[in-house]
Amino acid sequence: MAVKTPIYMDNHATTPTDPRVVEAMLPYFTEVFGNAASRNHSFGWQAEEAVENARATIAKAINADSKEIVFTSGATESNNLAIKGIAEMYAEKGNHIITCVTEHKAVIDPCKKLERQGFDVTWLPVLPSGLIDLDALRAAITDKTILITIMHGNNEIGVIQPVDEIGAIAAEKGIVFHTDATQTVGKIPVDVKKSNIHLLSFSGHKLYGPKGVGVLYVRRRKPRVRVTPILDGGGHERGMRSGTLNVTGIVGLGKAVELCIQEMESDTKRLSGLRDHLRKRLLESIPESYENGDPNHKLPHSLNISFSFVEGESLLMGIAEVAVSSGSACTSASLEPSYVLKSLGLGDELAHSSIRFGLGRFTTKEEVDYVADKLISVVEKLREMSPLYEMHNEGIDLSKVEWAHH
Ligand SMILES: *Cc1c(COP(=O)(O)O)cnc(C)c1O
């Protein structure tokens, strides 16, 4: 059977909404459209009931209590609320924050802003595997440290950080621990109690739910954690996030989480099987290709591979009917190599010629084979035109070549 193109293999960026989720949401647009904060009539009560059902489902999925779930517009907002909210609430206690260089921009940029405002931020490096060094984390802690914010699963290389160990260190030192779990909730088990997580962010559209809705988990007991709100208004969500609740979005998020939990085992098995197949085909058929991120600590649907001796833009153009992400990030003027790949020690060239494959619930074996075939042939073609690859094959050590300068 012919594969339908374009093929979507960029599920770290966003996922399609599961049709079962859409179905669950529909009545809340037209029939049960009440404001969940309206206390005087059944329209409001029904909306509130739907929100509370979703809240309970979501809380259970991460081993939290319903009262610890704050609905937001997505992980960007949740991360901002956690980081800025802790910085302001705990400012008297200290001004030091620990984070990591491979975080999502939605963590990096709030930390940078706090740095400009006078906070002291430690940017932990990562090992070539993409994992943080727990000894470096321990060594970075001072008596002024008020927050450790380290992501759970990385959105570019799929590496899963050791949250149990980080949580244990934070608990021992009495420091608040926030994790951006946008890539892990619904994909692998997440347990805020077991991992001693105090704050946790995630987003609906990364787990087959709708866009524009997310969660911040805020621990209420042992210890009770408080954040200063960013938005002031009606005092919704226990005062932490004012604004009329996105009832349809919340219902969709609840349904999406429910499905993810029900299907986690089978999805994981199927997707890791497909991912392993893709990895094997690419690495075995394409010489000088390398996997990025520790394969033993990796999200089941995630694969990131660098291809030497090909140019990143030509590579992407060659596989134009496949939606993937490259190791280049568009900034205002130019293509910048990914800061995540560079932090693993990759050079600019290799970072540019890297591809992130994000498999998902709707990815098929046929699609995976199509993508593998296509890449194998495109890389081969590009290398036929590469004088560098020819020199490399003749056994010339390119790092020792003295190039003529113009
Ligand atoms: C997508 C993503 C975000 C941002 O989520 P939004 O819903 O777009 O706000 C934050 N962190 C990680 C790790 C992500 O993958």
Side-chain angles (χ1 to χ4, degrees):
M1 205 183 73
V3 172
K4 198 166 142 268
T5 55
I7 291 170
Y8 189 72
M9 217 172 264
D10 202 15
N11 284 281
H12 300 87
T14 194
T15 56
T17 315
D18 191 299
R20 294 169 291 181
V21 169
V22 177
E23 201 184 327
M25 292 170 70
L26 285 177
Y28 294 90
F29 287 102
T30 50
E31 292 160 39
V32 194
F33 58 83
N35 185 325
S38 295
R39 290 282 150 79
N40 303 318
H41 48 70
S42 64
F43 295 87
W45 302 332
Q46 281 182 295
E48 191 193 10
E49 191 187 340
V51 166
E52 292 317 312
N53 285 340
R55 203 189 294 280
T57 303
I58 291 162
K60 188 158 171 268
I62 59 171
N63 196 19
D65 187 90
S66 279
K67 291 182 181 144
E68 299 175 313
I69 302 298
V70 176
F71 287 114
T72 66
S73 63
T76 301
E77 184 186 338
S78 299
N79 287 340
N80 271 270
L81 177 54
I83 294 165
K84 293 171 182 168
I86 289 293
E88 191 168 334
M89 185 63 79
Y90 293 71
E92 304 235 303
K93 198 174 162 241
N95 70 340
H96 180 226
I97 294 168
I98 300 173
T99 186
C100 157
V101 293
T102 55
E103 293 293 314
H104 190 275
K105 288 282 181 194
V107 165
I108 291 189
D109 287 355
C111 287
K112 278 192 182 159
K113 178 166 261 180
L114 290 171
E115 214 170 27
R116 289 196 294 275
Q117 291 170 354
F119 281 83
D120 183 14
V121 179
T122 296
W123 301 91
L124 291 178
V126 292
L127 304 166
S129 62
L131 291 164
I132 65 157
D133 177 351
L134 292 167
D135 290 330
L137 170 63
R138 264 190 218 96
I141 294 170
T142 73
D143 54 6
K144 292 271 180 277
T145 309
I146 52 170
L147 175 67
I148 296 172
T149 173
I150 305 281
M151 73 197 320
H152 193 192
N154 184 276
N155 49 294
E156 279 193 49
I157 51 176
V159 162
I160 301 166
Q161 298 291 356
V163 285
D164 288 2
E165 286 79 0
I166 300 168
I169 293 169
E172 181 199 319
K173 303 278 183 184
I175 298 165
V176 173
F177 172 35
H178 165 252
T179 190
D180 177 352
T182 311
Q183 292 290 342
T184 53
V185 171
K187 314 280 172 51
I188 60 171
V190 173
D191 183 330
V192 293
K193 290 209 178 76
K194 174 171 151 275
S195 306
N196 282 300
I197 293 164
H198 302 134
L199 297 148
L200 176 143
S201 308
F202 67 96
S203 195
H205 71 104
K206 304 285 176 91
L207 46 84
Y208 312 97
K211 294 174 178 58
V213 64
V215 163
L216 180 65
Y217 155 80
V218 185
R219 184 181 280 250
R220 276 168 62 87
R221 293 187 59 230
K222 296 185 188 173
R224 181 181 182 84
V225 173
R226 291 172 2 110
V227 293
T228 304
I230 294 174
L231 299 179
D232 300 302
H236 307 72
E237 299 296 88
R238 302 178 177 274
M240 283 181 271
R241 206 284 192 170
S242 286
T244 299
L245 289 180
N246 173 4
V247 177
T248 46
I250 290 166
V251 167
L253 178 52
K255 184 69 185 176
V257 167
E258 181 191 317
L259 293 171
C260 280
I261 297 299
Q262 274 169 15
E263 295 171 8
M264 188 182 288
E265 230 180 87
S266 56
D267 268 354
T268 296
K269 198 161 161 240
R270 196 182 74 85
L271 288 178
S272 60
L274 287 179
R275 187 273 314 273
D276 293 350
H277 176 67
L278 180 61
R279 168 199 283 141
K280 187 164 183 294
R281 286 210 58 198
L282 295 176
L283 294 183
E284 284 183 359
S285 309
I286 305 179
E288 309 294 333
S289 57
Y290 311 97
E291 178 168 4
N292 295 309
D294 192 332
N296 299 318
H297 297 89
K298 189 168 281 196
L299 293 165
H301 62 290
S302 187
L303 185 67
N304 189 309
I305 307 243
S306 300
F307 304 93
S308 299
F309 305 108
V310 292
E311 202 244 325
E313 268 180 275
S314 316
L315 185 61
L316 273 194
M317 266 193 302
I319 55 162
E321 74 276 37
V322 184
V324 287
S325 279
S326 77
S328 309
C330 248
T331 59
S332 52
S334 63
L335 279 179
E336 289 290 328
S338 146
Y339 64 90
V340 173
L341 294 177
K342 290 206 71 176
S343 71
L344 307 180
L346 269 68
D348 288 9
E349 288 298 320
L350 205 53
H352 278 302
S353 61
S354 303
I355 291 185
R356 173 184 76 177
F357 304 91
L359 282 62
R361 187 177 284 162
F362 305 103
T363 303
T364 64
K365 170 91 171 6
E366 289 71 29
E367 289 178 328
V368 167
D369 276 318
Y370 181 98
V371 170
D373 290 339
K374 188 80 195 181
L375 261 164
I376 292 166
S377 82
V378 166
V379 171
E380 195 173 284
K381 271 199 206 102
L382 290 173
R383 283 181 180 170
E384 274 167 18
M385 301 185 291
S386 161
L388 289 181
Y389 190 57
E390 199 174 315
M391 290 168 74
H392 167 79
N393 279 342
E394 285 163 8
I396 298 169
D397 183 349
L398 293 170
S399 65
K400 301 224 164 69
V401 174
E402 286 194 30
W403 305 100
H405 290 279
H406 300 281

